[in-house]
């Protein structure tokens, strides 16, 4: 996947521009039938504007004067045109080309950089038909169930207190997402809500217009292979430059020599470029230490804020609830 997305997005812009130019033609045709006076004014404005432009190439004694005269005539005609349109209940720019994005004028670029609307198109294209799209719909903050976390004082803090404090940090993270350079590491037993919470965050950030990419660590390794052996630059661009990369289930990937080296290089480059990551893992800190080389481990400990999830397996609790409801 994700090959040729740039081409597809550029095609979409081309289509938008074509649609808008057709719509303008339609409006002009209508105006010719129904507002001939305005069409006359437009023609006059066009003629005067051309004259004005040609002034630069002509040697004339009274150039300044002619320039001023033409300019004020054009301004007056424009005013007259707008008045006529507004009188008819139309927008003053009814007979001008419309842009759906006023920043990039539907080109996708502002200068040499990609416009925000390009990113939005990329997100839509990227998440079209993806499983993650279904996950985001299913897992949202409003469905987050604090009651599944025990209040028992046998642990300090209790799983409930613990998750409440994690939720608060996560809210703040989302609120300050633009400014923060923080990376997050969620760890804890399976089934304590790490993936659920990462997905809630992804949904929230995507809604705010950020480009979040979700990968299991295994699919990330597959992607890194694809990049290395097939020169898939577009894929690298997505993984490297997205606003947040979620790496789920770190530790479940096959730890080949390739995986270890590439994973380290990748994470390291992202850290150097200050590209945010959220990693979740079922491994304990000790497991992480023994599974990964010192250099990966020390990046994870030094450059990520650690959140330890606690509690019983929520999936078991939910299933038990379902059984009770059925029984
Ligand atoms: Zn734009």
């Amino acid at each position: 996947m994700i090959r040729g997305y740039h081409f597809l997005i550029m095609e979409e812009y081309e289509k938008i521009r074509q649609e808008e130019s057709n719509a303008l033609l339609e409006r002009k045709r209508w105006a010719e039938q129904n507002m001939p006076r305005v069409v006359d004014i437009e023609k006059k404005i066009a003629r005067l504007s051309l004259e004005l432009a040609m002034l630069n190439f002509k040697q004339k004694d009274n150039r300044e004067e002619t320039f001023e005269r033409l300019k004020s005539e054009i301004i007056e005609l424009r005013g007259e045109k707008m008045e006529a349109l507004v009188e008819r209940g139309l927008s003053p720019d009814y007979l001008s080309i419309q842009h759906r994005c006023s920043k990039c004028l539907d080109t996708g670029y502002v200068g040499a950089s990609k416009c925000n609307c390009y990113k939005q198109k990329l997100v839509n294209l990227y998440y079209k038909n993806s499983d993650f799209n279904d996950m985001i719909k299913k897992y949202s903050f409003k469905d987050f169930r604090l009651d599944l976390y025990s209040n028992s004082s046998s642990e300090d803090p209790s799983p409930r207190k613990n998750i409440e404090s994690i939720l608060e940090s996560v809210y703040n993270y989302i609120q300050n997402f633009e400014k923060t350079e923080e990376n997050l590491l969620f760890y804890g037993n399976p089934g304590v809500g790490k993936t659920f919470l990462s997905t809630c965050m992804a949904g929230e950030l995507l809604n705010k217009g950020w480009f979040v990419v979700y990968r299991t660590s295994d699919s990330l390794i597959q992607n890194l292979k694809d990049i290395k052996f097939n020169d898939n630059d577009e894929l690298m661009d997505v993984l490297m430059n997205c606003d947040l990369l979620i790496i789920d289930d770190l530790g479940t990937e096959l730890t080949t020599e390739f995986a270890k080296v590439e994973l380290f290089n990748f994470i390291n480059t992202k850290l150097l470029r200050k590209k945010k990551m959220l990693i979740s893992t079922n491994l304990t800190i000790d497991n992480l230490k023994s599974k990964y080389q010192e250099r990966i481990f020390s990046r994870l400990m030094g450059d990520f804020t650690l959140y330890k999830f606690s509690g019983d397996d929520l999936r078991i609790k939910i299933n038990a609830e379902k059984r009770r409801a059925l029984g």
Side-chain angles (χ1 to χ4, degrees), residues 58-106:
K58 283 183 187 159
Q59 292 294 333
K60 252 190 171 178
D61 300 337
N62 54 352
R63 209 165 83 167
E64 288 290 293
E65 209 178 286
T66 317
F67 184 84
E68 287 307 321
R69 180 178 54 81
L70 286 172
K71 221 170 74 176
S72 70
E73 260 181 76
I74 290 173
I75 291 171
E76 201 173 307
L77 284 167
R78 275 191 192 144
E80 211 179 308
K81 177 179 121 179
M82 275 187 204
E83 233 168 72
L85 287 169
V86 170
E87 234 165 63
R88 189 80 191 229
L90 300 168
S91 144
D93 58 4
Y94 184 73
L95 292 175
S96 317
I97 190 94
Q98 304 293 306
H99 298 289
R100 294 186 205 171
C101 177
S102 57
K103 282 188 204 143
C104 68
L105 310 180
D106 303 328

Side-chain angles (χ1 to χ4, degrees), residues 100-284:
R100 294 186 205 171
C101 177
S102 57
K103 282 188 204 143
C104 68
L105 310 180
D106 303 328
T107 61
Y109 283 86
V110 180
S113 11
K114 286 175 182 143
C115 184
N116 271 347
C117 70
Y118 182 103
K119 194 170 6 179
Q120 210 46 57
K121 287 188 168 38
L122 180 59
V123 170
N124 294 341
L125 194 65
Y126 188 76
Y127 282 109
K128 207 166 109 186
N129 311 323
S130 88
D131 296 342
F132 192 58
N133 223 353
D134 300 333
M135 270 170 80
I136 291 172
K137 281 181 205 135
K138 243 187 346 198
Y139 299 171
S140 70
F141 278 114
K142 69 175 179 9
D143 301 318
F144 200 93
R145 286 185 50 191
L146 282 172
D147 63 305
L148 290 175
Y149 292 83
S150 128
N151 236 335
S152 139
S153 53
S154 62
E155 284 176 78
D156 187 31
S158 72
R160 176 85 59 91
K161 277 251 154 356
N162 181 57
I163 196 71
E164 279 171 357
S165 120
I166 294 176
L167 274 174
E168 197 182 323
S169 308
V170 160
Y171 277 132
N172 288 334
Y173 188 77
I174 294 172
Q175 294 308 323
N176 299 316
F177 188 75
E178 186 163 12
K179 286 179 216 136
T180 186
E181 291 179 355
E182 203 179 346
N183 301 293
L184 311 178
L185 178 72
F186 291 173
Y187 71 104
N189 293 331
V192 287
K194 300 184 298 294
T195 301
F196 197 112
L197 189 55
S198 323
T199 313
C200 296
M201 290 176 70
E204 204 69 26
L205 290 168
L206 281 163
N207 278 340
K208 287 174 172 254
W210 298 104
F211 184 27
V212 181
V213 172
Y214 172 93
R215 282 284 182 275
T216 61
S217 67
D218 199 44
S219 61
L220 177 64
I221 299 289
Q222 295 305 322
N223 285 168
L224 293 177
K225 264 189 196 153
D226 187 18
I227 290 163
K228 183 122 185 159
F229 299 115
N230 300 317
D231 293 324
N232 193 340
D233 297 338
E234 281 187 322
L235 181 57
M236 190 53 165
D237 183 35
V238 163
L239 294 176
M240 188 54 74
N241 295 319
C242 59
D243 297 311
L244 178 70
L245 176 66
I246 298 178
I247 306 175
D248 199 15
D249 251 347
L250 183 76
T252 53
E253 74 282 356
L254 282 174
T255 35
T256 57
E257 207 38 48
F258 173 88
K260 280 182 194 162
V261 171
E262 292 303 316
L263 193 62
F264 171 77
N265 288 340
F266 178 74
I267 290 179
N268 200 37
T269 310
K270 279 190 78 89
L271 289 172
L272 288 173
R273 295 191 189 170
K274 300 193 191 307
K275 300 288 184 183
K276 293 188 270 279
M277 284 171 277
L278 160 58
I279 296 183
S280 78
T281 180
N282 294 337
L283 299 177
T284 62

